[in-house]
Structure formats: C-alpha cells, structure tokens
Amino acid sequence: MSAPSLQIAEDSAVLHHVPLSRVTTFQLGGPARELVTVAAPEALWRSVHDVLSRGEPFVVIGGGSNIVCSDEGLPCRVIRYVSDRVEMAEENGAWCVAGSVGLDRIVERCVADGIGGLTFASGIPGTLGGAVAGNAGAFGAQIGDCVAQVELIDPATGGVRVCSREEMAFAYRYSRIRDRGGIISRVWMILPNGPPAHLRQEREALLALRREKHPDWRAQPCAGSVFRNLEASGPGARRMAAGKVLEESGAGALRVGGAAVFVKHANIIVKETDSCTAQDVIDLVWCMHNKAQEKMKISLTPEIRFLGRFRAVPGQAAWITGVGA
Ligand SMILES: Cc1cc2nc3c(=O)[nH]c(=O)nc-3n(C[C@H](O)[C@H](O)[C@H](O)COP(=O)(O)OP(=O)(O)OC[C@H]3O[C@@H](n4cnc5c(N)ncnc54)[C@H](O)[C@@H]3O)c2cc1C
C-alpha cells in the first residue's frame, strides 16, 4: 500500500487539483478544485473571507480522519486547517488552543506537562477542531466534557463569535456544528492538573489497547468507526456497540472491491488494496447496514461522513454531504 504524502506545508498557497487521498487517513478521494492548508486562526479567517468574497463554495476539514471524499473529488475550495505546532496559552483558568492542532499531540504535551483531562483521547487522529465538531470520544469520555468555549467563524458571513459550552449542545458524537454549521478556529478547555507519571501510564495503557484493537491508519488506511453506537435503551443503560451488532449479524467477513471489514473489529472498514475506491467504501457500508437490518432488525447510522458525489440508493442520501455541487 503506497503511503500518501501528508506533508503539504502549513500555510500553503492555493494548490489546484490535489487528490484528497493525500490528506485523508482513508487515502481515498479525487482532486479538490483548490486546496489551501492553514495553521493559524487568522490565516483560516483570511482564507474563508477570500472564498466568500468570490461567492464560491468551500469546505473546511482537519486531519481528514473521519471523512470519505468521493472519487470524482470536490468541485470547491477545501480549506485544510491543520498545524504541526502545539501552542497552548493559559487564559483565565482555561487552556486556549487553535482548532488546527493535532488532538493526540495536545494529549502528548499535556501528559508531559502534568495536565490531565485529555488522556482518553490518546491515539485519536485528527485535529482539535475536528474532534470538537463531532464531540470525539473514547473509553466513556468525550472532548466536549473539557470544553469551556469555542471561537466560531460563520461560514455564511465570515463573522467571528465565541460560543459557550452550553450553546455547543454537545451530545454523543454531536455538537451544534453538525446542524447549524460553524468553523472552529479556537477552543478553550478546562483541564485539571495531574501527576505526569500517572498520566503517562494511563496514556501508554490506552495506546496499547488501541494498537491491539484498531488498525494503524498509516499501514491500513481507514476512518475509524463506521457506524454510531446505538442509543441506550433507558436511563442508566449503556449504548450497544455497533461493532457487536455487526459481528452478531455476520457482517465481519464482508468486502466490496478493495474495501473490507477489519478482521479484528466489525465496525471498521480498511482500504485493502490500492485500487480501492470511495464508492467501494460506501457500497460496503450499505451492505453492512443491510446485514444488521436483515439479521437484527437494527438500522445503523454512519459516523463517518461522505463528502461529494456518490452513486447512492435512496436510503443513503442522508449520509452524503454534497459539497460544492
Ligand atoms: C484509526 C482511527 C481511530 C479513531 N478513533 C476514534 C475514537 O476513538 N473516537 C472518535 O470519536 N473518533 C475516532 N476516529 C475518528 C476521527 O479521528 C475523529 O472523529 C476526529 O476527531 C476527526 O477529526 P479530523 O480533524 O480528522 O476531522 P475531519 O475528518 O477532517 O472532519 C470531520 C468533520 O468535521 C468537520 N471539521 C473538521 N475541522 C473542523 C473545524 N475546525 N471546524 C468545524 N468543522 C470541522 C469537517 O467538515 C467534517 O465534517 C478515529 C479515526 C481513525 C482513523
């Protein structure tokens, strides 16, 4: 499997027709009409204003670890908000961090500096902005638990405002960004101090668990969990894991083209061959969905997002965000 170059420099000029497979962990997707990589909130704001002033469509992505971009690419500007630098500033008892910073890099820094609250996110790929947008979580905790407030750019006007944690309406893998839009430029988090040795131990244990159960996306391209876990059946009840539903439905051995269900985890799809397409992935997701429906009478909802145009049957339309069309 050829590894993509994710080394596009921060604050790049506008690049034309860059394959989105180079900037997504699934390593899938055709060319973006324009790709701009920005690291600082101010550069993000300028890029958004530039495209708005031309009245053209655009989409903002982070680490590309929760998306599948279509094979024909995206006919719009893709603003990739990512940074290699981890800068954390303390402001009135909260840590202010740009949404472009890698989540796992933040955890690494926090552990070294004796700052707790984020170790659960060890090993989650992608940026802080992407994590807050979808309230990423693991091991019973989620990023929204730590968020005090968020600076948002309005994608329609380019206006900037600060949104409280309550306004963000965090829920399971959900924030208001999903329904009402908004580009996360900065995040303030309340994080308790903790003993570095203990935090390091916790992080190492969680990373080891991930290595055991999850594919390493650099060697086996993927985008994490395919489907959301099920709603809890009542107060105090736990969510049923989508992976369990899929396993019990017999979806574990499914494959379409170059896409296959990961052998160790039925809720993950991996790109097995270089010829794998984004269409293979959405088709496989549909087969998995239908298997769970047929065997367990359970309708699963995808957690990963499909961007662009796909050949889709009617039930799949709600899964797809048709950007720039
Ligand atoms: C191996 C692997 C393991 C994973 N494990 C987990 C896990 O344990 N828990 C979990 O929750 N997820 C997991 N994921 C999924 C993914 O890493 C997270 O959802 C991550 O937080 C997505 O961040 P991103 O920057 O990559 O977002 P992207 O994939 O780039 O974007 C995802 C969505 O967020 C939007 N978005 C991105 N940045 C911004 C921004 N600044 N402002 C507004 N919207 C934005 C995009 O438009 C898109 O709709 C895993 C993925 C992989 C590949």
Side-chain angles (χ1 to χ4, degrees):
M1 179 77 50
S2 56
S5 163
L6 292 170
Q7 303 303 317
I8 296 169
E10 286 181 359
D11 296 333
S12 73
V14 177
L15 303 174
H16 295 274
H17 309 298
V18 176
L20 290 158
S21 56
R22 290 179 59 189
V23 293
T24 51
T25 59
F26 230 137
Q27 300 178 20
L28 292 170
R33 198 180 74 205
E34 293 182 351
L35 179 74
V36 188
T37 300
V38 290
E42 297 74 19
L44 171 67
W45 184 85
R46 277 196 300 275
S47 189
V48 169
H49 272 252
D50 174 39
V51 74
L52 282 177
S53 69
R54 290 189 278 129
E56 288 176 9
F58 68 99
V59 63
V60 175
I61 65 167
S65 64
N66 206 23
I67 53 176
V68 179
C69 298
S70 78
D71 297 312
E72 66 182 49
L74 300 180
C76 65
R77 172 175 291 193
V78 176
I79 302 176
R80 185 171 162 259
Y81 187 41
V82 296
S83 172
D84 278 345
R85 288 185 292 268
V86 186
E87 283 166 15
M88 299 178 63
E90 206 170 3
E91 288 179 14
N92 304 321
W95 290 99
C96 175
V97 188
S100 54
V101 181
L103 181 60
D104 188 55
R105 298 284 309 279
I106 300 172
V107 182
E108 195 180 34
R109 162 69 71 83
C110 284
V111 166
D113 291 356
I115 302 168
L118 282 180
T119 40
F120 74 88
S122 297
I124 299 184
T127 61
L128 178 61
V132 171
N135 196 15
F139 308 110
Q142 43 277 313
I143 193 77
D145 299 345
C146 317
V147 171
Q149 55 183 29
V150 173
E151 183 183 79
L152 289 182
I153 303 175
D154 184 326
T157 63
V160 179
R161 77 179 189 95
V162 173
C163 203
S164 70
R165 166 210 179 86
E166 290 69 33
E167 284 177 280
M168 288 299 289
F170 290 114
Y172 171 70
R173 302 295 175 271
Y174 176 88
S175 80
R176 61 169 272 149
I177 306 297
R178 293 289 182 237
D179 292 324
R180 300 172 64 185
I183 303 161
I184 297 163
S185 47
R186 262 182 266 255
V187 180
W188 285 261
M189 291 177 287
I190 310 258
L191 302 170
N193 290 332
H198 172 75
L199 295 173
R200 202 170 307 119
Q201 219 174 29
E202 212 172 81
R203 173 170 165 81
E204 286 311 319
L206 295 180
L207 287 174
L209 258 179
R210 277 187 181 275
R211 277 194 296 272
E212 202 183 299
K213 290 190 173 167
H214 289 219
D216 174 355
W217 62 266
R218 292 169 193 85
Q220 288 182 292
C222 64
S225 297
V226 174
F227 292 102
R228 296 163 62 82
N229 291 332
L230 303 182
E231 295 300 326
S233 55
R238 294 186 59 171
R239 289 177 173 277
M240 186 173 179
K244 190 167 156 52
V245 173
L246 290 161
E247 228 165 77
E248 289 178 10
S249 309
L254 290 174
R255 56 191 312 127
V256 171
V261 175
F262 182 51
V263 281
K264 293 192 204 167
H265 198 313
N267 195 23
I268 295 178
I269 293 177
V270 290
K271 176 184 175 185
E272 273 210 338
T273 65
D274 282 339
S275 61
C276 176
T277 61
Q279 188 66 43
D280 288 345
V281 173
I282 198 169
D283 289 347
L284 178 54
V285 176
W286 188 239
C287 291
M288 294 160 78
H289 170 273
N290 291 349
K291 198 77 164 169
Q293 182 81 68
E294 182 190 311
K295 300 279 181 192
M296 312 266 291
K297 308 277 174 277
I298 290 174
S299 182
L300 294 171
T301 307
E303 183 172 315
I304 52 181
R305 346 210 100 236
F306 296 92
L307 305 185
R309 284 211 314 183
F310 290 81
R311 263 192 334 272
V313 296
Q316 289 172 310
W319 300 357
I320 299 166
T321 309
V323 280

